[in-house]
Amino acid sequence: MTILVTGGAGFIGSNFVFHMLEHHPSDKIVCVDKLTYAGNLSTLRSVMENPAFRFVRADICDRTAICRLFEEEKPDIVVNFAAESHVDRSIEDPGIFLTTNILGTQVLMDACRKYGITRYHQVSTDEVYGDLPLDRPDLFFTEETPIHTSSPYSSSKAGADLLVLAYHRTYGLPVTISRCSNNYGPYHFPEKLIPLMIINALADKPLPVYGEGLNVRDWLYVEDHCRAIDLIIHEGRVGEVYNVGGHNEMRNIDIVKLICEKLGKPESLITHVADRKGHDMRYAIDPTKIHNELGWLPETKFADGIQKTIDWYLANRDWWEEIISGEYQSYYEKMYGERDPLPVG
Ligand code: NAD
Ligand code: TYD
């Protein structure tokens, strides 16, 4: 079986490539990635020579390149991770989010129709459901929760989800969709909360918490997400959406304090800065469907996962030091230089 993985040089895609090569050694994994600022070939270094793996640099919006690849590889399954993924960047410049996340999805599905596949899987996010209020801990996102997006990022992901479901209903394309909560783990790009805080804390730099830091996210170790997708593409029902999350809700401020504690850094590094525009308050997944239908449960507890993640960043300084020495500097200056610190107290 040949599995085409898009966005495999990014955070979750690369972890999925490693997962598949380890657990399905007789499959061929073809990774297509544009290598945007978020894609890093050094992430895939350990598998580049593996005969069961091929890397192709291409944009999923490039119809000619994608069709050529389908002709060459004739993939059985396509798993689409490729996306612009950072909410803050989508607030600054929504256009590329619509292009890659929606039109790129269309190009991939058109190729799937033309060449034939057994499954197209769309990697989506819980952010398509919008947010939940902090004072209603009894509420969770189910697959029936209405789409109600807040940011250009989540809107582009929701647009893609609707298109995927339309290709199933209209053309009979065998699709599945997973909507996962926030992931953390190795190879997480340091613009996102957890790796940014680890790296800043290690350098004794301010830890920029948006607003009061009371927003809640439902954190899942990346390997648990990869296992869920592996199950869905093999055993999930065509045309279905599966929510993926591990009931691990935490406030941002508590995550940042925990990182300080684990690294032996003072909480005085925490700097409350101007809030994100349209900032979602709480995400919380109800994973009953994937548990009941596919037997999926998260395996890594947050206490273990965050320790493994911190240890990974300590042991892999070369990986992130290379990233933060480049374009990241000007990104950081632009995003955080202009963000006013909030008054203390
Ligand atoms: P990421 O930003 O780390 O990686 C995205 C990858 O896609 C990069 O390698 C990038 O080079 C590639 N890419 C971007 N545009 C492309 C294009 N036009 N053509 C080909 N490749 C392109 O993102 P991530 O955190 O690994 O997220 C992967 C997927 O999972 C995304 O679809 C995201 O919406 C979804 N998701 C992420 C999370 C999370 O917590 N990170 C949670 C739920 C769902
Ligand atoms: P992020 O990792 O960007 O994921 P998402 O916005 O997709 O949930 O952010 C997680 C939470 O952390 C979110 O509530 C915003 C907050 N945050 C900060 O407080 N400071 C930061 O520097 C970043 C990047 C995020």
Side-chain angles (χ1 to χ4, degrees):
M1 185 126 77
T2 297
I3 301 175
L4 182 66
V5 177
T6 74
F11 165 45
I12 309 174
S14 60
N15 279 282
F16 185 73
V17 166
F18 302 145
H19 170 94
M20 294 303 281
L21 287 170
E22 184 184 341
H23 295 276
H24 302 275
S26 58
D27 288 347
K28 178 175 183 186
I29 307 297
V30 178
C31 167
V32 57
D33 198 296
K34 182 180 173 184
L35 298 181
T36 67
Y37 78 91
N40 208 322
L41 255 197
S42 72
T43 301
L44 295 170
R45 196 179 289 140
S46 64
V47 296
M48 278 305 211
E49 302 299 321
N50 186 329
F53 179 74
R54 178 184 174 199
F55 177 81
V56 177
R57 184 174 192 177
D59 186 335
I60 58 164
C61 302
D62 182 343
R63 206 168 271 276
T64 311
I66 293 301
C67 284
R68 194 183 315 125
L69 187 58
F70 270 71
E71 255 162 43
E72 283 171 18
E73 296 289 351
K74 304 198 170 37
D76 301 285
I77 296 177
V78 174
V79 184
N80 182 24
F81 291 91
E84 290 293 335
S85 69
H86 191 36
V87 173
D88 291 326
R89 289 188 191 246
S90 82
I91 294 168
E92 294 298 306
D93 182 12
I96 185 69
F97 284 73
L98 306 189
T99 305
T100 289
N101 298 2
I102 302 177
L103 298 181
T105 297
Q106 183 210 358
V107 168
L108 288 171
M109 290 194 298
D110 284 344
C112 289
R113 287 184 61 213
K114 185 170 175 188
Y115 295 96
I117 40 92
T118 58
R119 181 67 62 88
Y120 173 87
H121 182 76
Q122 179 75 359
V123 181
S124 186
T125 165
D126 60 356
E127 300 192 28
V128 300
Y129 299 121
D131 63 352
L132 296 164
L134 289 182
D135 61 357
R136 289 293 306 275
D138 55 314
L139 295 181
F140 296 91
F141 298 137
T142 73
E143 290 79 1
E144 274 69 51
T145 301
I147 301 282
H148 188 78
T149 57
S150 314
S151 70
Y153 162 68
S154 54
S155 305
S156 68
K157 294 296 291 183
D161 281 13
L162 295 177
L163 196 63
V164 171
L165 294 173
Y167 268 55
H168 172 60
R169 169 138 182 187
T170 307
Y171 306 117
L173 194 72
V175 306
T176 38
I177 296 176
S178 51
R179 294 183 179 146
C180 190
S181 58
N182 287 62
N183 286 210
Y184 68 102
Y187 300 107
H188 203 179
F189 195 85
E191 67 188 351
K192 306 283 172 60
L193 179 78
I194 288 182
L196 186 140
M197 296 301 166
I198 294 172
I199 285 168
N200 278 18
L202 285 172
D204 297 307
K205 282 174 61 176
L207 306 177
V209 170
Y210 299 166
E212 291 183 78
L214 302 180
N215 308 65
V216 168
R217 297 292 183 266
D218 183 359
W219 294 94
L220 185 73
Y221 194 63
V222 63
E223 172 62 16
D224 282 324
H225 186 191
C226 294
R227 271 194 311 107
I229 296 171
D230 184 355
L231 269 174
I232 295 168
I233 61 177
H234 290 106
E235 295 171 34
R237 285 185 295 136
V238 163
E240 293 293 318
V241 173
Y242 293 91
N243 282 355
V244 184
H247 282 302
N248 183 59
E249 293 179 49
M250 292 189 69
R251 302 189 310 178
N252 295 340
I253 189 71
D254 297 328
I255 300 241
V256 179
K257 285 182 177 171
L258 182 67
I259 290 171
C260 288
E261 185 196 315
K262 293 215 168 272
L263 290 173
K265 299 291 181 179
E267 287 183 9
S268 56
L269 287 176
I270 295 174
T271 311
H272 290 273
V273 298
D275 211 347
R276 175 185 278 173
K277 293 188 180 82
H279 200 170
D280 281 337
M281 278 320 295
R282 171 177 168 247
Y283 302 145
I285 283 274
D286 175 354
T288 305
K289 179 173 173 180
I290 189 167
H291 175 60
N292 286 349
E293 281 191 22
L294 305 178
W296 178 88
L297 276 176
E299 284 179 358
T300 301
K301 291 196 178 66
F302 188 76
D304 301 330
I306 194 71
Q307 189 60 55
K308 277 204 272 188
T309 303
I310 290 174
D311 291 347
W312 187 89
Y313 280 87
L314 287 171
N316 290 275
R317 277 178 173 270
D318 290 356
W319 182 85
W320 54 265
E321 277 176 352
E322 194 182 317
I323 288 171
I324 63 171
S325 68
E327 183 255 0
Y328 185 84
Q329 294 283 348
S330 43
Y331 164 80
Y332 199 87
E333 188 46 43
K334 179 166 182 277
M335 299 301 263
Y336 293 92
E338 293 166 4
R339 229 176 238 277
D340 296 328
L342 294 179
V344 183

